[in-house]
Amino acid sequence: SGPRRQLAWIDREGNVERLGLPWGTYRYPRLHPDGERVTLVLGEGHGSNDDIYVLDLDGLNLTRMTFDQSSMMPNWLSGGRELVYTSVQGGALRIREMGGTATTRDVPASRAILLPTSGAPDQRTLLVRHLGGRTHGARWTFDTEDSNLSPAGR
């Protein structure tokens, strides 16, 4: 299993306030725009036995969002109404609605794996890391609505 970590708030002065959860293999935490939830990955790392969870900060309850044991790099989209992540097993960028329907859709991309690293203020564009091919490791922007992939900064 991966390294064990604790989740904590750290303020601008460097003061640490632990959340009180047990040590775990927490990765890629991303705060929801409302500040009341965090999406994160629990597992061994690099899409190996990894699934995505949402942590309710009020009650410290974890809700499992994926069950494929190969999901990683979650990020919020659409003001927190959607969750985007990479499924290594499916080789896809996936978007899950967080409302009542909770539907998940694969976003057509390229043959390479795209790892979402952050979302843009327009709530539809992602900064992604492109894994595979001649541009392995390069940063690209990806429009989740029209599946347009272009080099970052262009």
Side-chain angles (χ1 to χ4, degrees), residues 21-42:
L21 291 169
W23 286 79
T25 54
Y26 308 112
R27 287 182 176 70
Y28 313 116
R30 298 288 186 265
L31 186 64
H32 188 276
D34 68 10
E36 297 178 8
R37 293 177 279 173
V38 173
T39 183
L40 52 86
V41 173
L42 281 170

Side-chain angles (χ1 to χ4, degrees), residues 125-145:
T125 305
L126 294 170
L127 183 62
V128 297
R129 182 157 286 217
H130 191 262
L131 300 182
R134 292 180 301 161
T135 60
H136 181 81
R139 295 199 183 271
W140 294 67
T141 57
F142 184 75
D143 188 312
T144 59
E145 290 184 17

Side-chain angles (χ1 to χ4, degrees), residues 22-90:
W23 286 79
T25 54
Y26 308 112
R27 287 182 176 70
Y28 313 116
R30 298 288 186 265
L31 186 64
H32 188 276
D34 68 10
E36 297 178 8
R37 293 177 279 173
V38 173
T39 183
L40 52 86
V41 173
L42 281 170
E44 296 175 19
H46 308 291
S48 174
N49 201 26
D50 292 345
D51 277 304
I52 294 172
Y53 291 75
V54 172
L55 172 66
D56 170 16
L57 292 172
D58 187 36
L60 297 181
N61 298 313
L62 279 169
T63 302
R64 191 171 181 173
M65 297 285 116
T66 64
F67 294 86
D68 64 0
Q69 297 184 337
S70 69
S71 298
M72 56 191 284
M73 302 296 289
N75 239 305
W76 298 105
L77 274 181
S78 306
R81 292 185 306 276
E82 296 176 312
L83 189 61
V84 62
Y85 60 93
T86 297
S87 171
V88 175
Q89 181 183 44

